[in-house]
Amino acid sequence: MKKYDYLIVGAGLYGAVMAYEAKKKGKSCLVIDRRDHIAGNIYCKNVEGINVHEYGAHIFHTSNKEVWDYINQFAEFNNYINSPIAVYKDELYNLPFNMNTFSRMWGIRTPKEAQEKIAEQVAETGITDPQNLEEQALSLGGRDVYEKLIKGYTEKQWGRDCRELPAFIIRRLPFRFTYDNNYFNDRYQGIPIGGYTAVVEKMLEGTEVRTGVDFFDFRKENPDIADKIIFTGMIDEYFDYKLGALEYRSVRFETEVLDEENYQGNAVVNYTEREVPYTRIIEHKHFEFGKQPKTVISREYSSEWKVGMEPYYPVNNEQNDALFGKYKALAEQEQNVIFGGRLGDYKYYDMDKVIEAALKVAEQL
Ligand code: UDP
């Protein structure tokens, strides 16, 4: 069998960027993926003329112009701005946490009134130096926002008490005192016209790709197929979980095609109360301002990851990060293998951070 410069394990965003960069430098790559399709978790499938985000909503956003220019080589982006709605019992709020949210919550109008209300509630908690997600959320938005919009949603998504989760998770979201429903603070945002699979397809153009191939089986039969391996799967699985298993959250989607044009009027509607079993409903067509006669919706259910399920989110608490540190030490001794991506780095990366990380490693190579 032919020998390659690189065997790239995983045809997701990280692997595809590495393949593209390697090809540019005249290196030969073989990309393999366990799934029967490319594009990893950003894979989109066309259903009723709608690009369905099969593994959950992906909205591209970044403040890094280099990354924005980079991804724009592979697609034109539309001007979608994410503005989710939160449903709590019979109340409806705008997200992220902004003047529309506060006004609806407390019947107030000015930033000063909102700030006073929050300050009053924060003072009651007595928190000055937030140590976990609950304390961080309380000290940013006060008790009402926390109880109605954060606590239930977060505990459903992560399956853990908010006091056992790291504060950084909630700092992903803006808290702002303007009437601005843009979920992100980033300078650049949008959805690639035509979907994400086409983006990855372009990145992989001219590179040999084999899907439906399990790395661990493949390696047994082809131990010397490449000088270097770029591994984007789960780092603990690579080492056969020998130091113990890292925790991940998995997500299950109940997807339905509905014979109506517009089900919820928005791409993302979060259900923030504990009692509703799913975290959110995605109506895919709205990512691309779709006018198709039918619509496709996905209810999203979170669960703890177990062998055989798809891993989505690393659970970056102290215990897991410490275990990851030990795997990373093993990884550093693993000659000619580079670990990367959300699963290889065990980091809650957004897409722009995945590209940043891949470009950095590609440059070093
Ligand atoms: N979050 C929340 N209420 C919401 C939406 C998000 O409390 O209605 C919190 C929750 O803890 C979640 C975190 O904010 O894990 C990050 O949300 P984001 O939308 O960034 O998550 P992703 O889209 O990556 O799943």
Side-chain angles (χ1 to χ4, degrees):
M1 206 175 198
K2 178 182 164 189
K3 180 139 175 155
Y4 299 86
D5 292 314
Y6 295 101
L7 170 66
I8 300 179
V9 183
L13 185 57
Y14 189 95
V17 170
M18 292 305 271
Y20 183 78
E21 291 303 306
K23 188 181 59 193
K24 241 176 29 188
K25 290 178 186 145
K27 303 286 181 192
S28 61
C29 293
L30 171 64
V31 179
I32 60 170
D33 200 294
R34 183 139 76 181
R35 290 178 179 161
D36 63 2
H37 60 74
I38 59 161
N41 277 9
I42 62 176
Y43 174 70
C44 293
K45 184 173 164 187
N46 194 292
V47 181
E48 301 287 344
I50 298 161
N51 284 317
V52 172
H53 296 205
E54 281 270 295
Y55 301 90
H58 282 82
I59 299 136
F60 199 93
H61 58 97
T62 187
S63 290
N64 183 334
K65 184 162 190 314
E66 206 184 307
V67 168
W68 181 244
D69 290 342
Y70 188 83
I71 193 80
N72 272 270
Q73 299 174 83
F74 305 102
E76 192 183 330
F77 277 68
N78 70 17
N79 61 337
Y80 176 80
I81 298 280
N82 196 32
S83 313
I85 297 292
V87 177
Y88 175 79
K89 300 190 192 286
D90 57 354
E91 297 167 23
L92 222 101
Y93 294 94
N94 288 110
L95 289 176
F97 313 101
N98 75 91
M99 282 307 296
N100 290 301
T101 327
F102 307 139
S103 162
R104 175 78 182 78
M105 183 86 62
W106 300 309
I108 50 104
R109 257 204 269 177
T110 65
K112 188 159 171 277
E113 287 172 300
Q115 276 156 340
E116 279 170 5
K117 190 84 190 164
I118 291 173
E120 197 182 290
Q121 296 195 354
V122 172
E124 279 167 21
T125 68
I127 298 162
T128 49
D129 180 19
Q131 296 298 318
N132 55 51
L133 196 154
E134 174 172 293
E135 294 182 4
Q136 181 70 77
L138 282 168
S139 60
L140 284 168
R143 185 152 306 269
D144 292 337
V145 168
Y146 173 65
E147 300 278 351
K148 290 188 170 180
L149 301 178
I150 297 174
K151 190 174 191 301
Y153 186 93
T154 301
E155 292 183 356
K156 281 193 284 189
Q157 174 163 359
W158 295 97
R160 284 161 178 76
D161 191 289
C162 289
R163 282 164 296 201
E164 284 160 24
L165 288 165
F168 85 84
I169 292 179
I170 201 68
R171 288 197 302 264
R172 289 168 59 85
L173 309 189
F175 280 76
R176 58 168 92 95
F177 295 91
T178 51
Y179 285 92
D180 176 2
N181 294 327
N182 185 346
Y183 199 60
F184 303 112
N185 279 328
D186 285 319
R187 169 70 181 80
Y188 309 102
Q189 181 172 179
I191 302 280
I193 296 168
Y196 288 96
T197 310
V199 170
V200 173
E201 240 160 40
K202 270 208 162 162
M203 288 176 173
L204 293 175
E205 232 167 52
T207 296
E208 198 180 331
V209 180
R210 291 195 221 161
T211 54
V213 174
D214 181 273
F215 165 68
F216 300 101
D217 297 337
F218 184 78
R219 185 176 51 174
K220 273 182 221 147
E221 281 157 33
N222 307 278
D224 297 316
I225 195 153
D227 292 336
K228 277 192 164 47
I229 295 173
I230 297 171
F231 184 83
T232 74
M234 295 157 68
I235 188 166
D236 53 344
E237 184 183 14
Y238 181 92
F239 291 106
D240 205 18
Y241 308 103
K242 68 178 173 194
L243 305 175
L246 289 162
E247 293 174 304
Y248 301 84
R249 293 294 287 172
S250 190
V251 187
R252 178 174 65 82
F253 299 94
E254 268 176 17
T255 297
E256 267 184 85
V257 179
L258 302 178
D259 201 4
E260 61 185 292
E261 206 196 309
N262 186 3
Y263 172 72
Q264 62 182 15
N266 206 31
V268 183
V269 177
N270 291 358
Y271 288 81
T272 58
E273 64 191 272
R274 196 74 194 78
E275 290 67 30
V276 176
Y278 41 87
T279 50
R280 52 190 168 191
I281 301 182
I282 304 299
E283 188 170 12
H284 302 269
K285 71 192 314 180
H286 296 306
F287 288 126
E288 300 189 45
F289 315 108
K291 298 273 185 282
Q292 297 86 345
K294 293 190 182 181
T295 195
V296 182
I297 61 162
S298 300
R299 290 191 181 78
E300 196 168 319
Y301 296 84
S302 263
S303 67
E304 201 63 12
W305 176 86
K306 293 199 180 62
V307 177
M309 292 170 128
E310 298 288 358
Y312 283 77
Y313 296 91
V315 182
N316 287 117
N317 59 21
E318 252 173 61
Q319 185 195 333
N320 287 317
D321 283 351
L323 181 54
F324 170 70
K326 291 183 189 155
Y327 277 117
K328 192 159 168 48
L330 284 183
E332 273 154 17
Q333 288 163 28
E334 193 75 0
Q335 287 206 336
N336 300 323
V337 185
I338 295 149
F339 293 80
R342 203 183 249 214
L343 302 174
D345 283 342
Y346 196 67
K347 271 210 191 78
Y348 188 3
Y349 280 142
D350 287 330
M351 290 178 280
D352 61 327
K353 298 289 182 251
V354 168
I355 294 175
E356 259 173 39
L359 288 178
K360 202 168 147 201
V361 172
E363 202 178 289
Q364 286 161 3
L365 289 173

